[in-house]
């Protein structure tokens, strides 16, 4: 039986009103993280704006600017800085994209950016799925500031392409860079034109959330009317009317950075840091990250084979995918595995047979070869044998001749000796 | 000194005091200047300027400012929505303007769509083709047996290239374009929307650009090799020190110190277009119109056009238009080309 929303009235002070304080104290101890990405062509004042926003010299004068850039491809670079204010720590990461939109052919210059954002999501997904989740560093991109060149006409094809591809991956906040180029009327018109084109191409830029508070809603509405924000950045301090302000000195006047009449820098800073930083992180976590995650896991489970296998980090949260129960899933996998094995077996047998045939053939060949050689040798041997026979016969003949000659000689000698002795006999008479 | 009746001749223009010595030794050759002046005024001048640059750099506004009238494409064809065209188009608008009795036919050639796409490979090709086509048309007219008395000159005399004010260095697209086109036309590079840069940034940017132009061997107007004498070189050297000009264009008038001037009004000050402390528009205007206009046309005619002509005639040596000339008893094309290219 449904009890509905029971509202209890407390009869005394319990004390859980101090919960926000506890959360607050814990967060302060833990510190905050925020990752900001800046994208835009060279020379639009991105580095100057970052320096102005956070009042640091993240991009010091030694940082190689566009004039010294050697590589002509789009890079993605990260710089971290730890800022402390009023006991609160902020680990700020700025992701820069030098080389974006600078080449003659800029097709796919957004690809490195998309890859970087995806890889950060991937890292977070993996660290979320680990067994030991003590430390989960959040390096996901929470906000992307896109700088539009102040042409005064409208968005360029590159701007539209980039924003269309990134509006579903990250919070895109378009800014009009170097807004001191435009007079107030030109700025108004430019903003209207940009918003029209953004709506026309159905680009979803970051939307400020509605709250219950009337006061806040009014502020939010004021900001919404001024989108996209036209900013000017500077860290040089100039004296104007005996006041020290940050601005840019021209021969015709000083454009003040923090003057609401001159540009929307203060609105951007307040929005980004003072009021909506947590909301940006929340939207990144709840919307963009979840989109990425569900897409990624769907790709894993529907194929059985993990197309997106990362070394050693297989996701096991299969029951969140609709359509297939885990058991059927496993059965399917097993079947596939078995067929794969069978196939491999067959293949191996084929390979084996082939090898055997080859070997047999080789042996046959060598046998024939040996046979041939044997024949050859036999022939040689016989030839030699015949030769030898011939020689022997000749030798025998010679010997026979020699012997007969010897006998003849012997006879001759005996005959001569006989004569000699008979001669001698005669003499002695 | 006896006074003989002075021959009636009006004072030669702009020569100031001239001692003629004795009057009877005065022949009157310098009166030819006056005759030329009168003839030029009757004939009128032609000037063809091409503006090249990405959309949104203020090209049309600058043209309007230069000639103090609505001569740009935007004023003639008002386009309610500024759509970037998918391919580069070449739009040519002509106006007849007159000042102090001198008539000029000004043609502004605009190139919307240049450098605006994602892939800008070969975006200079349509422009080079256009320039060469104009040379070709002039060449055809020249070679004709029955020539018109005055060949209509549609050759591009000057190409103003707009560099976006990034403040760092030239982009690869800028370098590629200027490298190819400085060989066929006079290029005058300017830094567009220069009110974005403070004076230090402007100087740094100009230095970087000059170095890059030198490093890439790009010869912009005024070219060093075409300086005629020491005077010329001095003047042109001064100009070369200032290139590229940092310009701001505007066709709206405001009141400053009781004077009506062209400018841009912002919340922190008004930028005066013709104030040389603010921007270098005045130098550009003087270069293009008041001092070097004739020089620009001469270089186009005698050098760029002749280069084209020589190349063209050598390509089709002997086979082209031969019959026409043989009948007319004139020498062959090849011979003519050789004798002309001194």
């Amino acid at each position: 039986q449904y009890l509905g929303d029971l509202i209890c009235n407390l009869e005394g002070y319990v004390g859980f009103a101090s919960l926000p304080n506890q959360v607050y104290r814990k967060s302060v101890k833990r510190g905050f993280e925020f990752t900001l990405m800046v994208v835009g062509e060279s020379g639009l004042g991105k580095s100057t704006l970052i320096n102005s926003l956070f009042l640091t010299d993240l991009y010091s004068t030694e940082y190689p600017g566009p004039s010294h850039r050697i590589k002509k491809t789009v890079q993605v670079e990260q710089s971290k800085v730890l800022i402390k204010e009023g006991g609160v720590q902020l680990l700020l990461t700025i992701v820069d994209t030098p080389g974006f939109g600078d080449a003659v052919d800029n097709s796919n210059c957004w690809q490195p950016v998309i890859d970087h954002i995806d890889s950060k999501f991937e890292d977070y997904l993996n660290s979320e799925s680990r067994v030991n989740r003590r430390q989960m560093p959040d390096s996901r991109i929470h906000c992307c500031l896109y700088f539009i060149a102040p042409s005064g006409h409208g968005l360029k094809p590159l701007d539209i392409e980039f924003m269309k591809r990134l509006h579903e991956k990250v919070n895109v906040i378009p800014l009009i860079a170097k807004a001191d180029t435009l007079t107030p009327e030109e700025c108004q018109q430019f903003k209207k034109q940009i918003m029209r084109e953004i709506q026309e191409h159905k680009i979803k830029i970051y939307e400020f959330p509605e709250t219950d508070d009337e006061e806040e809603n009014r502020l939010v509405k004021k900001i919404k009317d001024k989108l996209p924000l036209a900013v000017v950045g500077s860290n040089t301090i100039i004296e104007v009317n005996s006041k020290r302000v940050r601005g840019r000195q021209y021969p015709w006047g000083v454009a003040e950075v923090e003057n609401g009449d001159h540009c929307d820098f203060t609105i951007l800073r307040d929005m980004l840091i003072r009021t909506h930083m947590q909301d940006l992180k929340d939207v990144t976590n709840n919307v963009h990250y979840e989109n990425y995650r569900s897409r990624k896991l769907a790709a894993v489970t529907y194929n059985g084979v993990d197309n997106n296998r990362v070394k050693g980090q297989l996701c096991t949260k299969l029951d969140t995918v609709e359509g297939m129960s885990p058991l059927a899933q496993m059965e399917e996998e097993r079947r596939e595995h078995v067929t794969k094995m069978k196939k491999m077996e067959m293949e191996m047998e084929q390979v084996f047979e082939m090898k055997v045939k080859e070997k047999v053939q080789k042996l046959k060949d060598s046998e024939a070869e040996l046979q041939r050689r044997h024949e050859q040798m036999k022939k040689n041997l016989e030839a030699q044998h015949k030769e030898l026979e011939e020689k022997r016969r000749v030798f025998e003949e010679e010997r026979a001749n020699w012997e007969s000659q010897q006998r003849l000689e012997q006879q001759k000698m005996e005959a001569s000796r006989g004569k000699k002795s008979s001669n001698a006999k005669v003499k002695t008479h | 000194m006896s006074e003989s009746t002075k021959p009636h001749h009006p004072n030669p223009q702009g020569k100031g005091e001239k001692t003629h010595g004795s009057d009877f030794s005065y022949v009157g050759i310098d009166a030819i200047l006056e005759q030329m002046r009168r003839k030029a005024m009757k004939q009128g001048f032609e000037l063809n300027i091409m503006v090249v640059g990405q959309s949104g750099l203020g090209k049309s506004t600058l043209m309007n400012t230069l000639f103090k009238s609505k001569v740009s494409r935007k004023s003639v064809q008002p386009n309610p929505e500024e759509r970037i065209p998918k391919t580069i188009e070449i739009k040519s608008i002509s106006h007849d303007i007159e000042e102090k009795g001198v008539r000029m036919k000004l043609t502004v050639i605009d190139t919307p769509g240049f450098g605006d796409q994602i892939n800008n490979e070969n975006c200079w090709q349509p422009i080079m083709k256009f320039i060469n086509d104009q040379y070709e048309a002039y060449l055809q007219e020249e070679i004709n047996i029955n020539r018109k008395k005055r060949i209509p000159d549609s050759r591009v005399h000057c190409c103003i290239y707009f560099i976006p004010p990034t403040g760092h260095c030239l982009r690869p697209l800028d370098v590629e374009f200027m490298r190819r086109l400085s060989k066929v036309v006079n290029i005058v590079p300017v830094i567009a929307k220069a009110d974005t840069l403070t004076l230090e940034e402007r100087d740094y940017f100009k230095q970087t650009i000059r170095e890059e132009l030198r490093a890439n061997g790009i010869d912009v107007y005024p070219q060093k090799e075409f300086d005629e004498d020491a005077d010329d070189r001095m003047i042109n050297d001064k100009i070369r020190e200032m290139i590229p000009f940092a310009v701001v264009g505007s066709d709206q008038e405001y009141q400053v110190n009781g004077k009506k001037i062209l400018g841009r009004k912002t919340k922190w000050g008004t930028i005066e277009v013709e104030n040389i402390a603010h921007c270098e528009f005045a130098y550009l205007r003087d270069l293009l119109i008041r001092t070097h206009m004739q020089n620009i046309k001469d270089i186009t005619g005698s050098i760029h056009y002749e280069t084209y002509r020589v190349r063209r005639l050598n390509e089709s040596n002997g086979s082209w238009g031969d019959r026409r000339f043989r009948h007319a008893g004139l020498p062959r094309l090849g011979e003519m080309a050789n004798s002309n290219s001194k």
Side-chain angles (χ1 to χ4, degrees):
Chain A
Q1 140 216 28
Y2 178 58
L3 295 172
D5 287 323
L6 295 180
I7 300 182
C8 257
N9 285 324
L10 301 173
E11 291 168 32
Y13 176 70
V14 178
F16 58 79
S18 66
L19 267 172
N21 283 351
Q22 297 175 26
V23 172
Y24 169 81
R25 250 179 287 139
K26 190 134 198 203
S27 329
V28 167
K29 238 188 0 182
R30 218 177 337 159
F32 296 90
E33 287 174 317
F34 191 66
T35 310
L36 181 66
M37 174 182 261
V38 280
V39 185
E41 289 178 5
S42 289
L44 286 181
K46 305 187 288 289
S47 319
T48 317
L49 188 75
I50 297 293
N51 283 351
S52 319
L53 266 178
F54 296 101
L55 289 178
T56 62
D57 254 340
L58 203 64
Y59 295 99
S60 61
T61 41
E62 285 114 47
Y63 183 75
S67 357
H68 307 288
R69 218 157 269 150
I70 313 161
K71 295 206 200 119
K72 294 290 183 184
T73 53
V74 182
Q75 314 282 318
V76 177
E77 290 172 357
Q78 248 181 222
S79 0
K80 285 192 201 265
V81 71
L82 185 63
I83 313 180
K84 282 200 198 157
E85 194 184 51
V88 178
Q89 279 191 61
L90 175 69
L91 178 63
L92 176 70
T93 313
I94 307 282
V95 180
D96 200 354
T97 54
F100 179 85
D102 282 342
V104 178
D105 181 1
N106 290 313
S107 331
N108 293 331
C109 64
W110 47 78
Q111 200 55 44
V113 177
I114 295 183
D115 290 341
H116 184 259
I117 297 179
D118 278 343
S119 81
K120 293 295 170 194
F121 280 154
E122 175 100 15
D123 289 343
Y124 193 78
L125 181 63
N126 287 336
S127 65
E128 216 184 28
S129 331
R130 268 209 301 253
V131 175
N132 183 355
R133 299 206 294 198
R134 207 94 239 264
Q135 280 188 333
M136 270 204 320
D138 184 9
S139 59
R140 299 172 293 187
I141 312 268
H142 298 124
C143 174
C144 174
L145 296 178
Y146 187 73
F147 286 70
I148 302 172
S151 64
H153 291 314
L155 289 176
K156 292 210 279 242
L158 179 62
D159 301 336
I160 298 176
E161 264 309 307
F162 180 85
M163 287 203 274
K164 275 214 306 220
R165 281 164 196 271
L166 257 82
H167 65 155
E168 308 226 299
K169 290 190 181 275
V170 73
N171 297 318
V172 174
I173 299 185
L175 300 174
I176 299 179
K178 293 199 169 177
D180 51 348
T181 320
L182 305 165
T183 63
E185 303 85 32
E186 292 170 350
C187 199
Q188 262 317 87
Q189 215 182 346
F190 191 36
K191 287 185 182 185
K192 276 210 209 89
Q193 176 68 19
I194 292 181
M195 288 315 278
R196 221 180 307 145
E197 289 194 24
I198 285 181
Q199 267 159 20
E200 196 186 299
H201 286 97
K202 301 210 195 4
I203 297 173
K204 292 187 253 178
I205 58 176
Y206 173 68
E207 282 198 4
F208 298 89
E210 301 272 325
T211 55
D212 301 323
D213 193 2
E214 252 314 308
E215 180 75 35
E216 274 201 40
N217 269 349
R218 247 182 295 132
L219 280 167
V220 166
K221 178 129 190 344
K222 257 202 332 192
I223 296 179
K224 279 201 182 156
D225 283 338
K226 290 201 180 207
L227 285 181
L229 300 172
V231 292
V232 176
S234 169
N235 253 347
T236 42
I237 301 192
I238 305 172
E239 281 244 6
V240 170
N241 297 339
S242 67
K243 241 190 347 160
R244 288 168 66 81
V245 288
R246 284 189 295 150
R248 290 170 63 73
Q249 173 93 47
Y250 292 112
W252 47 87
V254 175
E256 296 171 39
V257 165
E258 282 168 340
N259 187 334
D261 269 342
H262 291 189
C263 72
D264 301 327
F265 173 81
T266 29
I267 301 182
L268 175 69
R269 183 194 55 200
D270 292 345
M271 184 272 290
L272 197 59
I273 305 177
R274 295 181 192 176
T275 49
H276 285 82
M277 188 184 266
Q278 191 54 42
D279 185 61
L280 283 166
K281 288 170 75 167
D282 287 339
V283 172
T284 311
N285 190 34
N286 301 338
V287 177
H288 298 295
Y289 173 66
E290 288 300 319
N291 279 342
Y292 172 82
R293 190 166 162 281
S294 51
R295 246 182 296 132
K296 182 94 186 309
L297 295 181
V300 170
T301 49
Y302 274 138
N303 290 337
V305 179
D306 186 0
N307 291 325
N308 309 318
R309 181 186 287 274
V310 174
K311 301 194 196 75
Q313 307 272 14
L314 232 188
C315 295
T316 51
K317 297 189 186 166
L318 300 173
D319 41 321
T320 54
V321 179
E322 72 272 54
M324 278 223 211
S325 76
L327 282 174
Q329 185 72 28
M330 297 216 295
E331 190 53 44
E332 170 98 27
E333 272 186 12
R334 201 180 63 81
R335 248 181 286 136
E336 270 210 39
H337 190 75
V338 165
T339 41
K340 216 195 318 178
M341 292 312 272
K342 275 221 183 75
K343 206 164 82 155
M344 273 172 76
E345 228 183 283
M346 255 176 41
E347 272 181 18
M348 283 193 151
E349 274 188 30
Q350 272 183 351
V351 169
F352 180 70
E353 266 189 48
M354 214 171 57
K355 284 233 164 84
V356 164
K357 251 196 253 166
E358 266 185 44
K359 199 66 188 235
V360 165
Q361 185 67 18
K362 238 199 250 168
L363 285 171
K364 273 213 194 97
D365 281 340
S366 62
E367 208 186 307
E369 176 78 22
L370 281 169
Q371 186 78 4
R372 201 175 52 78
R373 263 209 245 140
H374 180 75
E375 295 283 321
Q376 184 90 347
M377 274 196 158
K378 232 166 85 176
K379 259 199 228 135
N380 276 356
L381 232 57
E382 284 201 2
Q384 273 187 10
H385 191 80
K386 269 207 193 94
E387 243 185 79
L388 236 59
E389 282 291 332
E390 182 71 32
K391 276 205 180 126
R392 177 179 281 185
R393 199 176 47 79
V394 166
F395 174 69
E396 290 289 328
E397 261 190 48
E398 267 194 54
R399 184 203 255 185
N401 274 353
W402 189 78
E403 277 193 355
S404 62
Q405 249 188 357
Q406 271 293 83
R407 247 180 278 130
L408 266 173
E409 291 282 313
Q410 192 104 334
Q411 271 178 12
K412 250 199 227 161
M413 263 183 108
E414 274 188 8
S416 71
R417 215 180 291 138
K419 237 198 256 172
K420 254 192 207 154
S421 66
S422 70
N423 274 356
K425 259 188 203 157
V426 163
K427 255 186 195 164
T428 51
H429 264 295
Chain B
M1 202 154 315
S2 60
E3 277 241 350
S4 46
T5 47
K6 284 202 184 107
H8 173 64
H9 62 271
N11 248 340
Q13 189 87 343
K15 281 295 178 182
E17 287 287 58
K18 202 168 184 195
T19 48
H20 297 297
S22 340
D23 277 334
F24 58 77
S25 63
Y26 175 70
V27 178
I29 299 177
D30 53 356
I32 188 138
L33 292 170
E34 179 61 22
Q35 298 173 30
M36 280 180 66
R37 196 179 73 88
R38 244 188 274 146
K39 178 161 182 221
M41 285 194 36
K42 225 173 31 164
Q43 258 180 7
F45 296 90
E46 280 176 325
L47 184 66
N48 305 324
I49 300 189
M50 176 183 262
V51 279
V52 182
Q54 278 185 329
S55 109
L57 286 181
K59 307 188 286 291
S60 308
T61 316
L62 189 74
M63 283 294 112
N64 286 351
T65 321
L66 261 179
F67 294 101
K68 296 240 172 82
S69 55
K70 306 247 180 257
V71 293
S72 69
R73 154 184 70 98
K74 297 249 176 85
S75 322
V76 170
Q77 307 168 347
N79 211 355
E81 342 171 304
E82 290 296 329
R83 288 291 150 175
I84 296 179
K86 292 287 178 191
T87 53
I88 303 174
E89 305 167 343
I90 308 235
K91 295 214 170 111
S92 185
I93 318 264
S94 292
H95 291 270
D96 278 320
I97 51 184
E98 181 178 326
E99 186 184 55
K100 290 209 180 120
V102 179
R103 278 181 303 118
M104 181 155 94
K105 178 163 185 272
L106 171 72
T107 308
V108 177
I109 303 157
D110 205 343
T111 54
F114 175 85
D116 286 328
Q117 317 305 327
I118 296 180
N119 182 355
N120 290 312
E121 294 270 319
N122 298 331
C123 61
W124 46 79
Q125 259 174 16
I127 297 177
M128 277 193 78
K129 184 170 178 308
F130 179 81
I131 295 179
N132 284 336
D133 284 346
Q134 307 311 309
Y135 286 151
E136 182 69 26
Y138 196 84
L139 182 65
Q140 292 292 352
E141 280 297 332
E142 234 188 16
I143 295 191
N144 234 341
I145 298 176
N146 296 321
R147 286 205 282 220
K148 298 197 190 123
K149 200 160 83 156
R150 235 188 120 209
I151 305 176
D153 190 358
S154 64
R155 300 172 292 191
V156 177
H157 296 127
C158 170
C159 172
I160 305 185
Y161 186 75
F162 285 71
I163 302 173
T166 57
H168 292 300
C169 60
L170 284 179
R171 295 168 308 151
L173 177 63
D174 301 333
V175 173
E176 273 305 311
F177 180 86
M178 285 203 272
R179 197 149 50 95
R180 284 156 202 273
L181 258 79
S182 59
K183 303 200 174 80
V184 292
V185 74
N186 296 320
I187 291 195
V188 177
V190 296
I191 301 178
K193 294 199 169 177
D195 53 343
T196 321
L197 305 166
T198 62
L199 293 180
E200 302 87 35
E201 292 168 354
R202 187 194 292 181
D203 286 331
Y204 173 74
F205 192 33
K206 283 211 224 184
Q207 220 178 329
T208 318
I209 292 181
R210 278 199 290 267
E211 271 168 28
E212 279 200 48
L213 289 179
R214 226 192 325 257
N216 283 294
I218 301 174
D219 235 349
V220 298
Y221 183 83
Q223 292 95 335
K224 248 203 162 90
E225 41 186 349
F226 304 143
D227 282 342
E228 285 167 24
D229 51 25
D231 279 336
D232 246 2
R233 205 168 307 133
M234 227 173 46
I235 301 175
N236 285 348
D237 273 343
K238 274 209 218 90
I239 296 175
R240 280 189 276 264
E241 284 302 303
M242 287 202 284
I243 286 181
F245 296 112
V247 295
V248 176
S250 165
D251 40 14
Q252 288 177 318
E253 289 190 335
Y254 294 100
Q255 285 266 4
V256 170
N257 298 337
K259 268 195 309 172
K260 263 184 153 287
I261 48 105
L262 286 175
R264 286 168 64 73
K265 188 155 191 207
T266 59
K267 289 262 162 79
W268 48 90
T270 306
I271 305 159
E272 297 169 38
V273 166
E274 290 183 1
N275 185 340
I276 50 177
H278 288 190
C279 75
E280 296 176 339
F281 170 80
Y283 292 125
L284 177 71
R285 180 199 55 205
D286 289 348
L287 179 81
L288 275 186
I289 303 178
R290 294 187 189 176
T291 53
H292 283 70
M293 188 195 276
Q294 194 53 41
N295 184 242
I296 290 177
K297 290 172 70 172
D298 280 343
I299 293 186
T300 308
S302 57
I303 296 179
H304 291 296
Y305 171 67
E306 288 300 318
T307 315
Y308 176 82
R309 186 167 169 278
V310 165
R311 202 182 58 214
R312 195 75 176 76
L313 296 180
N314 277 336
E315 271 173 25
S316 53
N317 205 359
S319 60
W320 191 60
D322 237 3
R323 277 176 279 126
R324 285 200 274 171
F325 282 92
R326 286 247 196 81
H327 285 323
L330 289 169
R332 281 173 54 157
L333 269 178
E335 292 165 6
M336 234 166 53
N338 286 338
S339 64
N340 269 357
S341 60
K342 289 209 186 59

